[in-house]
Amino acid sequence: MEQLDPPDPLLWDERRLWFERRQAAASAEGAGRLSEQATALVIDLQACFCAGAWAAVVLLAATVVDTQVEVSKQRRAAPAEELRWLRALRNRLVHEDRSNPVLTIEAQWTERKAWERSAKRAVDLVFAVVYSRSREERGTGRDG
């Protein structure tokens, strides 16, 4: 099963470079008050992303976002509809609807591309929140 074997090293590097480019772009203007735990979880997030563990990426991303929002008090660090999307998907993964599960074994085979798109969207949301700075921080040039 492809999902249980390590990805080809070239695919791993392709994913790693995508992740690192997104992070570099988001962090270009610095960061506000960072959560130590959220920042540490980004390391696991990257490992899951590179491995192609898409549902795990979504779950970790939601955790990072919630942790960082709590520490920074930046309730508007990302568009509300994006935060609602991520939390709803996380909740559907954590609280299974047995009559209509959001992830199935079959989906692990047939919906990989859709899950990858969701994982990328979640990663972008993580970086938007982690590297968000308040108006006051942007005005003073603080990097947090």
Short mmCIF file of all heavy atoms in Angstrom, two decimals, residues 60-127:
data_model
loop_
_atom_site.label_atom_id
_atom_site.label_comp_id
_atom_site.label_asym_id
_atom_site.label_seq_id
_atom_site.Cartn_x
_atom_site.Cartn_y
_atom_site.Cartn_z
N LEU A 60 -3.13 18.08 12.67
CA LEU A 60 -2.06 18.86 13.28
C LEU A 60 -2.20 20.35 12.97
O LEU A 60 -1.99 21.20 13.84
CB LEU A 60 -0.70 18.37 12.80
CG LEU A 60 -0.06 17.26 13.59
CD1 LEU A 60 1.18 16.73 12.87
CD2 LEU A 60 0.31 17.73 14.98
N ALA A 61 -2.57 20.65 11.74
CA ALA A 61 -2.73 22.05 11.35
C ALA A 61 -3.79 22.73 12.21
O ALA A 61 -3.60 23.86 12.68
CB ALA A 61 -3.10 22.16 9.87
N ALA A 62 -4.90 22.05 12.44
CA ALA A 62 -5.96 22.62 13.27
C ALA A 62 -5.47 22.85 14.69
O ALA A 62 -5.79 23.87 15.32
CB ALA A 62 -7.19 21.71 13.26
N THR A 63 -4.66 21.94 15.20
CA THR A 63 -4.10 22.09 16.54
C THR A 63 -3.15 23.28 16.60
O THR A 63 -3.20 24.08 17.53
CB THR A 63 -3.38 20.79 16.96
OG1 THR A 63 -4.32 19.73 16.94
CG2 THR A 63 -2.76 20.92 18.34
N VAL A 64 -2.28 23.40 15.61
CA VAL A 64 -1.34 24.52 15.56
C VAL A 64 -2.10 25.84 15.50
O VAL A 64 -1.80 26.79 16.23
CB VAL A 64 -0.37 24.39 14.37
CG1 VAL A 64 0.44 25.67 14.17
CG2 VAL A 64 0.54 23.19 14.55
N VAL A 65 -3.09 25.91 14.63
CA VAL A 65 -3.87 27.15 14.48
C VAL A 65 -4.55 27.51 15.81
O VAL A 65 -4.45 28.65 16.26
CB VAL A 65 -4.91 27.01 13.34
CG1 VAL A 65 -5.95 28.11 13.40
CG2 VAL A 65 -4.19 27.02 12.00
N ASP A 66 -5.22 26.56 16.43
CA ASP A 66 -5.91 26.85 17.69
C ASP A 66 -4.93 27.28 18.78
O ASP A 66 -5.20 28.22 19.53
CB ASP A 66 -6.71 25.64 18.17
CG ASP A 66 -7.99 25.44 17.37
OD1 ASP A 66 -8.38 26.34 16.61
OD2 ASP A 66 -8.60 24.36 17.51
N THR A 67 -3.79 26.61 18.86
CA THR A 67 -2.79 26.95 19.87
C THR A 67 -2.23 28.34 19.63
O THR A 67 -2.12 29.16 20.55
CB THR A 67 -1.65 25.90 19.88
OG1 THR A 67 -2.22 24.62 20.12
CG2 THR A 67 -0.61 26.21 20.92
N GLN A 68 -1.88 28.63 18.39
CA GLN A 68 -1.29 29.94 18.07
C GLN A 68 -2.29 31.07 18.26
O GLN A 68 -1.95 32.11 18.79
CB GLN A 68 -0.74 29.94 16.64
CG GLN A 68 -0.09 31.25 16.24
CD GLN A 68 1.09 31.63 17.11
OE1 GLN A 68 1.87 30.78 17.51
NE2 GLN A 68 1.24 32.91 17.41
N VAL A 69 -3.53 30.86 17.87
CA VAL A 69 -4.56 31.89 18.06
C VAL A 69 -4.74 32.18 19.54
O VAL A 69 -4.85 33.33 19.95
CB VAL A 69 -5.89 31.47 17.39
CG1 VAL A 69 -7.05 32.33 17.86
CG2 VAL A 69 -5.76 31.55 15.87
N GLU A 70 -4.73 31.14 20.35
CA GLU A 70 -4.90 31.32 21.80
C GLU A 70 -3.76 32.14 22.40
O GLU A 70 -3.98 33.05 23.18
CB GLU A 70 -5.02 29.97 22.49
CG GLU A 70 -5.25 30.07 23.98
CD GLU A 70 -6.54 30.79 24.36
OE1 GLU A 70 -7.53 30.70 23.61
OE2 GLU A 70 -6.56 31.45 25.41
N VAL A 71 -2.53 31.82 22.03
CA VAL A 71 -1.37 32.52 22.58
C VAL A 71 -1.29 33.95 22.08
O VAL A 71 -1.03 34.88 22.84
CB VAL A 71 -0.07 31.74 22.26
CG1 VAL A 71 1.17 32.59 22.51
CG2 VAL A 71 -0.02 30.48 23.09
N SER A 72 -1.50 34.14 20.79
CA SER A 72 -1.32 35.47 20.20
C SER A 72 -2.51 36.39 20.41
O SER A 72 -2.40 37.59 20.24
CB SER A 72 -1.06 35.34 18.70
OG SER A 72 -2.22 34.89 18.03
N LYS A 73 -3.67 35.79 20.72
CA LYS A 73 -4.93 36.54 20.86
C LYS A 73 -5.32 37.22 19.53
O LYS A 73 -6.08 38.15 19.51
CB LYS A 73 -4.85 37.59 21.97
CG LYS A 73 -4.44 37.04 23.33
CD LYS A 73 -5.42 36.01 23.83
CE LYS A 73 -5.02 35.54 25.22
NZ LYS A 73 -5.47 34.21 25.52
N GLN A 74 -4.78 36.70 18.43
CA GLN A 74 -5.08 37.20 17.10
C GLN A 74 -6.28 36.43 16.53
O GLN A 74 -6.12 35.47 15.81
CB GLN A 74 -3.87 37.02 16.17
CG GLN A 74 -2.68 37.83 16.52
CD GLN A 74 -2.79 39.22 15.95
OE1 GLN A 74 -3.63 39.51 15.11
NE2 GLN A 74 -1.95 40.10 16.41
N ARG A 75 -7.45 36.85 16.90
CA ARG A 75 -8.67 36.15 16.46
C ARG A 75 -8.94 36.35 14.97
O ARG A 75 -9.69 35.61 14.37
CB ARG A 75 -9.88 36.64 17.26
CG ARG A 75 -9.72 36.48 18.76
CD ARG A 75 -9.83 35.03 19.16
NE ARG A 75 -9.75 34.91 20.61
CZ ARG A 75 -8.95 34.09 21.25
NH1 ARG A 75 -8.17 33.29 20.58
NH2 ARG A 75 -8.93 34.05 22.56
N ARG A 76 -8.32 37.35 14.38
CA ARG A 76 -8.54 37.63 12.95
C ARG A 76 -7.26 37.45 12.15
O ARG A 76 -7.02 38.15 11.18
CB ARG A 76 -9.08 39.03 12.78
CG ARG A 76 -10.44 39.17 13.43
CD ARG A 76 -10.97 40.55 13.32
NE ARG A 76 -12.20 40.59 14.12
CZ ARG A 76 -13.22 41.31 13.82
NH1 ARG A 76 -13.19 42.07 12.77
NH2 ARG A 76 -14.28 41.29 14.58
N ALA A 77 -6.44 36.50 12.56
CA ALA A 77 -5.17 36.26 11.88
C ALA A 77 -5.35 35.64 10.50
O ALA A 77 -4.46 35.69 9.67
CB ALA A 77 -4.28 35.36 12.74
N ALA A 78 -6.51 35.06 10.27
CA ALA A 78 -6.81 34.43 8.98
C ALA A 78 -8.29 34.66 8.70
O ALA A 78 -9.07 34.94 9.62
CB ALA A 78 -6.50 32.95 9.05
N PRO A 79 -8.69 34.54 7.44
CA PRO A 79 -10.11 34.71 7.12
C PRO A 79 -11.00 33.74 7.91
O PRO A 79 -10.67 32.56 8.03
CB PRO A 79 -10.17 34.41 5.62
CG PRO A 79 -8.78 34.66 5.12
CD PRO A 79 -7.86 34.28 6.26
N ALA A 80 -12.06 34.27 8.43
CA ALA A 80 -12.97 33.48 9.27
C ALA A 80 -13.47 32.23 8.53
O ALA A 80 -13.58 31.16 9.13
CB ALA A 80 -14.15 34.33 9.74
N GLU A 81 -13.77 32.35 7.24
CA GLU A 81 -14.29 31.19 6.51
C GLU A 81 -13.23 30.09 6.40
O GLU A 81 -13.56 28.90 6.40
CB GLU A 81 -14.83 31.57 5.13
CG GLU A 81 -13.81 32.12 4.16
CD GLU A 81 -13.57 33.62 4.26
OE1 GLU A 81 -14.13 34.29 5.13
OE2 GLU A 81 -12.78 34.13 3.45
N GLU A 82 -11.96 30.47 6.34
CA GLU A 82 -10.89 29.47 6.30
C GLU A 82 -10.76 28.77 7.65
O GLU A 82 -10.59 27.56 7.72
CB GLU A 82 -9.55 30.11 5.91
CG GLU A 82 -9.47 30.47 4.44
CD GLU A 82 -9.54 29.24 3.55
OE1 GLU A 82 -8.58 28.45 3.53
OE2 GLU A 82 -10.57 29.07 2.87
N LEU A 83 -10.85 29.54 8.73
CA LEU A 83 -10.80 28.94 10.06
C LEU A 83 -11.98 28.00 10.28
O LEU A 83 -11.82 26.90 10.82
CB LEU A 83 -10.78 30.03 11.13
CG LEU A 83 -9.51 30.90 11.17
CD1 LEU A 83 -9.70 32.05 12.13
CD2 LEU A 83 -8.30 30.07 11.54
N ARG A 84 -13.17 28.42 9.83
CA ARG A 84 -14.35 27.55 9.95
C ARG A 84 -14.17 26.27 9.15
O ARG A 84 -14.50 25.17 9.62
CB ARG A 84 -15.61 28.28 9.50
CG ARG A 84 -16.20 29.19 10.56
CD ARG A 84 -17.59 29.68 10.19
NE ARG A 84 -17.63 30.46 8.97
CZ ARG A 84 -17.38 31.77 8.90
NH1 ARG A 84 -17.11 32.46 9.99
NH2 ARG A 84 -17.43 32.41 7.75
N TRP A 85 -13.63 26.37 7.93
CA TRP A 85 -13.39 25.20 7.10
C TRP A 85 -12.46 24.21 7.80
O TRP A 85 -12.75 23.02 7.88
CB TRP A 85 -12.79 25.62 5.75
CG TRP A 85 -12.23 24.44 5.00
CD1 TRP A 85 -12.93 23.53 4.26
CD2 TRP A 85 -10.86 24.00 5.00
NE1 TRP A 85 -12.07 22.56 3.79
CE2 TRP A 85 -10.81 22.83 4.23
CE3 TRP A 85 -9.69 24.50 5.57
CZ2 TRP A 85 -9.61 22.14 4.01
CZ3 TRP A 85 -8.51 23.81 5.36
CH2 TRP A 85 -8.48 22.64 4.58
N LEU A 86 -11.34 24.72 8.32
CA LEU A 86 -10.36 23.83 8.96
C LEU A 86 -10.95 23.18 10.20
O LEU A 86 -10.81 21.97 10.40
CB LEU A 86 -9.09 24.61 9.31
CG LEU A 86 -7.97 23.78 9.95
CD1 LEU A 86 -7.53 22.64 9.03
CD2 LEU A 86 -6.80 24.69 10.31
N ARG A 87 -11.61 23.95 11.03
CA ARG A 87 -12.19 23.38 12.25
C ARG A 87 -13.29 22.37 11.94
O ARG A 87 -13.40 21.35 12.60
CB ARG A 87 -12.70 24.51 13.15
CG ARG A 87 -11.54 25.27 13.78
CD ARG A 87 -11.98 26.43 14.61
NE ARG A 87 -10.81 27.09 15.17
CZ ARG A 87 -10.66 28.39 15.24
NH1 ARG A 87 -11.62 29.21 14.83
NH2 ARG A 87 -9.57 28.92 15.75
N ALA A 88 -14.08 22.65 10.92
CA ALA A 88 -15.15 21.70 10.54
C ALA A 88 -14.56 20.39 10.04
O ALA A 88 -15.03 19.30 10.41
CB ALA A 88 -16.06 22.33 9.49
N LEU A 89 -13.52 20.47 9.21
CA LEU A 89 -12.89 19.25 8.71
C LEU A 89 -12.22 18.48 9.85
O LEU A 89 -12.35 17.26 9.95
CB LEU A 89 -11.88 19.58 7.61
CG LEU A 89 -11.21 18.40 6.92
CD1 LEU A 89 -12.22 17.38 6.41
CD2 LEU A 89 -10.30 18.89 5.81
N ARG A 90 -11.54 19.20 10.73
CA ARG A 90 -10.93 18.56 11.90
C ARG A 90 -12.00 17.86 12.74
O ARG A 90 -11.85 16.72 13.14
CB ARG A 90 -10.20 19.60 12.74
CG ARG A 90 -9.44 19.07 13.96
CD ARG A 90 -10.03 19.30 15.33
NE ARG A 90 -10.95 20.36 15.49
CZ ARG A 90 -10.68 21.53 16.06
NH1 ARG A 90 -9.46 21.82 16.46
NH2 ARG A 90 -11.65 22.40 16.21
N ASN A 91 -13.10 18.54 12.98
CA ASN A 91 -14.17 17.96 13.80
C ASN A 91 -14.77 16.72 13.14
O ASN A 91 -15.09 15.74 13.81
CB ASN A 91 -15.26 18.99 14.08
CG ASN A 91 -14.80 20.02 15.08
OD1 ASN A 91 -13.80 19.84 15.78
ND2 ASN A 91 -15.49 21.15 15.13
N ARG A 92 -14.91 16.75 11.81
CA ARG A 92 -15.44 15.57 11.11
C ARG A 92 -14.47 14.39 11.18
O ARG A 92 -14.89 13.24 11.20
CB ARG A 92 -15.81 15.92 9.67
CG ARG A 92 -17.02 16.85 9.61
CD ARG A 92 -17.67 17.00 8.25
NE ARG A 92 -16.83 16.89 7.09
CZ ARG A 92 -16.30 17.93 6.42
NH1 ARG A 92 -16.52 19.17 6.82
NH2 ARG A 92 -15.57 17.74 5.35
N LEU A 93 -13.17 14.68 11.23
CA LEU A 93 -12.18 13.61 11.38
C LEU A 93 -12.17 13.05 12.80
O LEU A 93 -12.05 11.84 13.00
CB LEU A 93 -10.78 14.12 11.02
CG LEU A 93 -10.49 14.26 9.53
CD1 LEU A 93 -9.24 15.10 9.32
CD2 LEU A 93 -10.37 12.91 8.87
N VAL A 94 -12.31 13.92 13.78
CA VAL A 94 -12.23 13.50 15.18
C VAL A 94 -13.52 12.86 15.65
O VAL A 94 -13.50 11.90 16.42
CB VAL A 94 -11.85 14.70 16.08
CG1 VAL A 94 -11.96 14.37 17.55
CG2 VAL A 94 -10.45 15.19 15.74
N HIS A 95 -14.66 13.36 15.20
CA HIS A 95 -15.97 12.88 15.65
C HIS A 95 -16.67 12.21 14.47
O HIS A 95 -17.43 12.84 13.74
CB HIS A 95 -16.81 14.05 16.19
CG HIS A 95 -16.09 14.82 17.24
ND1 HIS A 95 -15.86 14.34 18.50
CD2 HIS A 95 -15.54 16.06 17.21
CE1 HIS A 95 -15.20 15.24 19.21
NE2 HIS A 95 -14.98 16.30 18.45
N GLU A 96 -16.40 10.94 14.30
CA GLU A 96 -16.88 10.20 13.14
C GLU A 96 -18.41 10.12 13.08
O GLU A 96 -19.07 9.84 14.07
CB GLU A 96 -16.33 8.78 13.17
CG GLU A 96 -16.81 7.93 12.01
CD GLU A 96 -16.34 6.49 12.08
OE1 GLU A 96 -15.77 6.09 13.12
OE2 GLU A 96 -16.57 5.76 11.11
N ASP A 97 -18.92 10.38 11.90
CA ASP A 97 -20.33 10.12 11.59
C ASP A 97 -20.33 8.74 10.93
O ASP A 97 -19.97 8.59 9.76
CB ASP A 97 -20.87 11.18 10.64
CG ASP A 97 -22.28 10.90 10.17
OD1 ASP A 97 -22.84 9.80 10.48
OD2 ASP A 97 -22.85 11.77 9.47
N ARG A 98 -20.71 7.72 11.69
CA ARG A 98 -20.60 6.34 11.19
C ARG A 98 -21.42 6.09 9.92
O ARG A 98 -21.08 5.23 9.13
CB ARG A 98 -20.98 5.36 12.27
CG ARG A 98 -19.94 5.31 13.35
CD ARG A 98 -20.26 4.28 14.39
NE ARG A 98 -19.21 4.29 15.38
CZ ARG A 98 -18.71 3.20 15.90
NH1 ARG A 98 -19.17 2.02 15.54
NH2 ARG A 98 -17.75 3.29 16.79
N SER A 99 -22.46 6.86 9.72
CA SER A 99 -23.26 6.68 8.51
C SER A 99 -22.63 7.39 7.31
O SER A 99 -22.98 7.09 6.17
CB SER A 99 -24.68 7.17 8.74
OG SER A 99 -24.68 8.56 8.97
N ASN A 100 -21.70 8.31 7.58
CA ASN A 100 -21.08 9.06 6.49
C ASN A 100 -19.69 9.55 6.93
O ASN A 100 -19.48 10.75 7.11
CB ASN A 100 -21.97 10.25 6.10
CG ASN A 100 -21.46 10.96 4.88
OD1 ASN A 100 -20.78 10.37 4.05
ND2 ASN A 100 -21.76 12.23 4.78
N PRO A 101 -18.72 8.63 7.10
CA PRO A 101 -17.39 9.05 7.55
C PRO A 101 -16.71 9.95 6.52
O PRO A 101 -16.86 9.75 5.31
CB PRO A 101 -16.63 7.74 7.72
CG PRO A 101 -17.38 6.73 6.94
CD PRO A 101 -18.80 7.21 6.85
N VAL A 102 -15.98 10.93 7.01
CA VAL A 102 -15.30 11.87 6.11
C VAL A 102 -14.08 11.21 5.46
O VAL A 102 -13.69 11.58 4.36
CB VAL A 102 -14.92 13.17 6.84
CG1 VAL A 102 -13.83 12.94 7.87
CG2 VAL A 102 -14.50 14.24 5.85
N LEU A 103 -13.51 10.22 6.12
CA LEU A 103 -12.35 9.50 5.58
C LEU A 103 -12.60 8.01 5.68
O LEU A 103 -13.00 7.52 6.74
CB LEU A 103 -11.08 9.87 6.36
CG LEU A 103 -9.78 9.24 5.88
CD1 LEU A 103 -9.44 9.71 4.46
CD2 LEU A 103 -8.65 9.56 6.83
N THR A 104 -12.40 7.33 4.59
CA THR A 104 -12.57 5.88 4.56
C THR A 104 -11.30 5.24 4.01
O THR A 104 -10.43 5.93 3.46
CB THR A 104 -13.74 5.48 3.64
OG1 THR A 104 -13.41 5.88 2.29
CG2 THR A 104 -15.05 6.12 4.07
N ILE A 105 -11.21 3.94 4.17
CA ILE A 105 -10.06 3.23 3.60
C ILE A 105 -10.05 3.40 2.09
O ILE A 105 -9.01 3.63 1.48
CB ILE A 105 -10.08 1.75 4.01
CG1 ILE A 105 -9.87 1.66 5.53
CG2 ILE A 105 -9.03 0.95 3.26
CD1 ILE A 105 -10.10 0.30 6.12
N GLU A 106 -11.22 3.32 1.49
CA GLU A 106 -11.30 3.52 0.03
C GLU A 106 -10.81 4.91 -0.35
O GLU A 106 -10.10 5.08 -1.35
CB GLU A 106 -12.74 3.32 -0.46
CG GLU A 106 -12.86 3.50 -1.96
CD GLU A 106 -14.28 3.32 -2.48
OE1 GLU A 106 -15.15 2.85 -1.72
OE2 GLU A 106 -14.50 3.65 -3.65
N ALA A 107 -11.17 5.92 0.44
CA ALA A 107 -10.74 7.29 0.14
C ALA A 107 -9.22 7.43 0.21
O ALA A 107 -8.64 8.26 -0.50
CB ALA A 107 -11.41 8.27 1.10
N GLN A 108 -8.60 6.60 1.04
CA GLN A 108 -7.14 6.63 1.11
C GLN A 108 -6.53 6.27 -0.26
O GLN A 108 -5.43 6.69 -0.58
CB GLN A 108 -6.61 5.66 2.18
CG GLN A 108 -6.81 6.15 3.58
CD GLN A 108 -5.82 7.24 3.97
OE1 GLN A 108 -5.21 7.91 3.15
NE2 GLN A 108 -5.65 7.43 5.26
N TRP A 109 -7.26 5.52 -1.05
CA TRP A 109 -6.81 5.16 -2.40
C TRP A 109 -7.33 6.11 -3.46
O TRP A 109 -6.58 6.52 -4.35
CB TRP A 109 -7.30 3.75 -2.75
CG TRP A 109 -6.59 2.67 -2.02
CD1 TRP A 109 -6.98 2.07 -0.86
CD2 TRP A 109 -5.35 2.07 -2.38
NE1 TRP A 109 -6.06 1.14 -0.48
CE2 TRP A 109 -5.04 1.11 -1.40
CE3 TRP A 109 -4.47 2.26 -3.44
CZ2 TRP A 109 -3.89 0.34 -1.44
CZ3 TRP A 109 -3.31 1.48 -3.48
CH2 TRP A 109 -3.04 0.53 -2.50
N THR A 110 -8.60 6.45 -3.38
CA THR A 110 -9.25 7.15 -4.50
C THR A 110 -9.31 8.66 -4.36
O THR A 110 -9.57 9.34 -5.34
CB THR A 110 -10.69 6.62 -4.68
OG1 THR A 110 -11.44 6.90 -3.48
CG2 THR A 110 -10.70 5.13 -4.97
N GLU A 111 -9.10 9.18 -3.16
CA GLU A 111 -9.24 10.62 -2.94
C GLU A 111 -7.96 11.28 -2.46
O GLU A 111 -7.98 12.32 -1.82
CB GLU A 111 -10.38 10.88 -1.94
CG GLU A 111 -11.72 10.39 -2.45
CD GLU A 111 -12.83 10.52 -1.41
OE1 GLU A 111 -12.66 11.28 -0.42
OE2 GLU A 111 -13.85 9.85 -1.59
N ARG A 112 -6.82 10.69 -2.79
CA ARG A 112 -5.53 11.20 -2.33
C ARG A 112 -5.29 12.64 -2.78
O ARG A 112 -4.81 13.47 -2.01
CB ARG A 112 -4.37 10.32 -2.81
CG ARG A 112 -4.45 8.89 -2.39
CD ARG A 112 -3.87 8.51 -1.06
NE ARG A 112 -2.54 9.00 -0.81
CZ ARG A 112 -2.13 9.35 0.41
NH1 ARG A 112 -2.93 9.28 1.44
NH2 ARG A 112 -0.90 9.77 0.60
N LYS A 113 -5.61 12.94 -4.03
CA LYS A 113 -5.37 14.30 -4.55
C LYS A 113 -6.23 15.33 -3.83
O LYS A 113 -5.77 16.43 -3.51
CB LYS A 113 -5.61 14.36 -6.06
CG LYS A 113 -4.50 13.73 -6.86
CD LYS A 113 -3.21 14.50 -6.67
CE LYS A 113 -2.10 13.92 -7.50
NZ LYS A 113 -0.80 14.50 -7.15
N ALA A 114 -7.48 14.99 -3.56
CA ALA A 114 -8.36 15.91 -2.84
C ALA A 114 -7.86 16.12 -1.41
O ALA A 114 -7.86 17.26 -0.91
CB ALA A 114 -9.79 15.38 -2.82
N TRP A 115 -7.41 15.07 -0.76
CA TRP A 115 -6.87 15.20 0.59
C TRP A 115 -5.57 16.00 0.58
O TRP A 115 -5.30 16.78 1.49
CB TRP A 115 -6.70 13.84 1.25
CG TRP A 115 -8.00 13.39 1.84
CD1 TRP A 115 -8.91 12.53 1.29
CD2 TRP A 115 -8.56 13.83 3.08
NE1 TRP A 115 -10.00 12.41 2.12
CE2 TRP A 115 -9.81 13.19 3.23
CE3 TRP A 115 -8.13 14.69 4.08
CZ2 TRP A 115 -10.63 13.39 4.33
CZ3 TRP A 115 -8.95 14.90 5.19
CH2 TRP A 115 -10.18 14.25 5.30
N GLU A 116 -4.77 15.81 -0.46
CA GLU A 116 -3.54 16.60 -0.57
C GLU A 116 -3.87 18.09 -0.70
O GLU A 116 -3.23 18.94 -0.07
CB GLU A 116 -2.70 16.14 -1.77
CG GLU A 116 -1.41 16.91 -1.93
CD GLU A 116 -0.56 16.43 -3.10
OE1 GLU A 116 -0.98 15.51 -3.84
OE2 GLU A 116 0.53 16.99 -3.28
N ARG A 117 -4.88 18.41 -1.51
CA ARG A 117 -5.29 19.82 -1.64
C ARG A 117 -5.75 20.38 -0.30
O ARG A 117 -5.42 21.51 0.07
CB ARG A 117 -6.40 19.97 -2.69
CG ARG A 117 -5.89 19.87 -4.13
CD ARG A 117 -6.97 20.25 -5.15
NE ARG A 117 -8.14 19.38 -5.09
CZ ARG A 117 -8.26 18.23 -5.73
NH1 ARG A 117 -7.27 17.76 -6.47
NH2 ARG A 117 -9.37 17.52 -5.64
N SER A 118 -6.50 19.58 0.46
CA SER A 118 -6.94 20.02 1.79
C SER A 118 -5.75 20.22 2.71
O SER A 118 -5.71 21.19 3.49
CB SER A 118 -7.91 19.01 2.40
OG SER A 118 -9.13 19.00 1.69
N ALA A 119 -4.78 19.32 2.64
CA ALA A 119 -3.58 19.45 3.48
C ALA A 119 -2.81 20.73 3.13
O ALA A 119 -2.36 21.45 4.03
CB ALA A 119 -2.70 18.22 3.31
N LYS A 120 -2.69 21.02 1.86
CA LYS A 120 -1.98 22.25 1.45
C LYS A 120 -2.73 23.49 1.92
O LYS A 120 -2.12 24.46 2.38
CB LYS A 120 -1.79 22.26 -0.07
CG LYS A 120 -0.73 21.30 -0.54
CD LYS A 120 -0.55 21.37 -2.05
CE LYS A 120 0.64 20.53 -2.48
NZ LYS A 120 0.87 20.60 -3.93
N ARG A 121 -4.02 23.45 1.80
CA ARG A 121 -4.84 24.57 2.28
C ARG A 121 -4.66 24.76 3.78
O ARG A 121 -4.53 25.89 4.27
CB ARG A 121 -6.30 24.29 1.93
CG ARG A 121 -7.27 25.39 2.25
CD ARG A 121 -8.66 25.00 1.77
NE ARG A 121 -9.67 25.96 2.18
CZ ARG A 121 -10.97 25.80 1.98
NH1 ARG A 121 -11.42 24.73 1.35
NH2 ARG A 121 -11.82 26.72 2.39
N ALA A 122 -4.62 23.66 4.52
CA ALA A 122 -4.42 23.72 5.97
C ALA A 122 -3.04 24.27 6.32
O ALA A 122 -2.91 25.08 7.25
CB ALA A 122 -4.64 22.33 6.57
N VAL A 123 -2.02 23.85 5.60
CA VAL A 123 -0.67 24.35 5.84
C VAL A 123 -0.60 25.86 5.58
O VAL A 123 -0.02 26.61 6.37
CB VAL A 123 0.37 23.59 4.99
CG1 VAL A 123 1.72 24.29 4.98
CG2 VAL A 123 0.52 22.15 5.49
N ASP A 124 -1.20 26.30 4.50
CA ASP A 124 -1.22 27.74 4.21
C ASP A 124 -1.91 28.51 5.34
O ASP A 124 -1.48 29.60 5.72
CB ASP A 124 -1.91 28.02 2.88
CG ASP A 124 -1.00 27.76 1.68
OD1 ASP A 124 0.24 27.81 1.83
OD2 ASP A 124 -1.53 27.52 0.58
N LEU A 125 -2.95 27.94 5.88
CA LEU A 125 -3.67 28.58 6.99
C LEU A 125 -2.78 28.62 8.24
O LEU A 125 -2.76 29.64 8.95
CB LEU A 125 -4.97 27.83 7.26
CG LEU A 125 -5.93 28.45 8.24
CD1 LEU A 125 -6.22 29.92 7.92
CD2 LEU A 125 -7.23 27.66 8.27
N VAL A 126 -2.05 27.56 8.49
CA VAL A 126 -1.11 27.56 9.62
C VAL A 126 -0.14 28.72 9.49
O VAL A 126 0.07 29.49 10.44
CB VAL A 126 -0.33 26.21 9.70
CG1 VAL A 126 0.92 26.35 10.57
CG2 VAL A 126 -1.22 25.12 10.22
N PHE A 127 0.45 28.87 8.33
CA PHE A 127 1.44 29.93 8.16
C PHE A 127 0.82 31.32 8.25
O PHE A 127 1.43 32.25 8.77
CB PHE A 127 2.22 29.74 6.87
CG PHE A 127 3.09 28.51 6.88
CD1 PHE A 127 3.29 27.78 5.74
CD2 PHE A 127 3.70 28.08 8.05
CE1 PHE A 127 4.10 26.65 5.74
CE2 PHE A 127 4.51 26.95 8.08
CZ PHE A 127 4.71 26.24 6.91
#
